[in-house]
Amino acid sequence: MSIIQTDINPEILNTLYDMFNSIKIPKRSSTSQRYNTTGMRTICFGLVKYRIQFKNKPTRGTSRFTKLYPEIYDELKVVINSIYPDFTYTTIQVNHNGVMDYHTDKNNQGDTVILSFGEYEKGELVIDEVEYNMNCKSVRFDAAKIRHKTLPLIGNKYSLVYFTIIKN
């Protein structure tokens, strides 16, 4: 089990913080039910699996938020490239004020990178009972195999989850 934590220069996150605060990130009820979250808002960029499947139509494609906010998508790529220039991924999940119970990310393959930033206290990432302070830090691990959760927080927290979705 390999878990790598890295400090992040907060200055590279300022532009994203301003961008996220300028848009309305929607609540996701299906995510709330699956992971027992409270008040979490989420959006995805990059490749996504479509929730509704149609006969003879693709089952995955570019997310609508990638098309709606291409400047945010570009900035998300700048951030990950500054931390892990060789990391490959298909999808970026943005969680706003997420608090989640223990889970594994069954639709991910390979390593996942999670990083958090904002004006908040607490909200640690817990990976198999070990707490990680995530403010302006990243953690890289296999989220499909290793249980993890987030603790309650006070304030305004954004978490970025970079991963590759399973090919079906």
Side-chain angles (χ1 to χ4, degrees), residues 41-110:
R41 297 178 175 279
T42 67
I43 54 178
C44 263
F45 290 87
L47 184 67
V48 296
K49 289 183 180 180
Y50 295 132
R51 292 175 189 257
I52 300 172
Q53 306 293 313
F54 296 101
K55 189 175 182 177
N56 299 323
K57 297 283 184 179
T59 59
R60 60 182 69 215
T62 302
S63 79
R64 68 184 177 106
F65 293 105
T66 303
K67 297 171 187 173
L68 190 60
Y69 302 115
E71 66 286 352
I72 293 177
Y73 184 52
D74 289 342
E75 191 65 24
L76 288 164
K77 293 186 285 188
V78 167
V79 167
I80 193 67
N81 287 335
S82 71
I83 303 164
Y84 294 107
D86 297 327
F87 184 72
T88 58
Y89 57 93
T90 59
T91 309
I92 308 162
Q93 170 95 15
V94 177
N95 297 328
H96 183 224
N97 292 335
V99 176
M100 304 174 84
D101 281 346
Y102 266 121
H103 65 282
T104 55
D105 298 329
K106 65 180 180 174
N107 291 319
N108 296 15
Q109 75 179 20

Side-chain angles (χ1 to χ4, degrees), residues 22-42:
S22 72
I23 65 170
K24 182 170 172 100
I25 298 176
K27 259 189 177 172
R28 290 283 188 241
S29 60
S30 64
T31 303
S32 296
Q33 293 163 359
R34 185 173 50 220
Y35 295 122
N36 190 23
T37 64
T38 0
M40 185 165 96
R41 297 178 175 279
T42 67

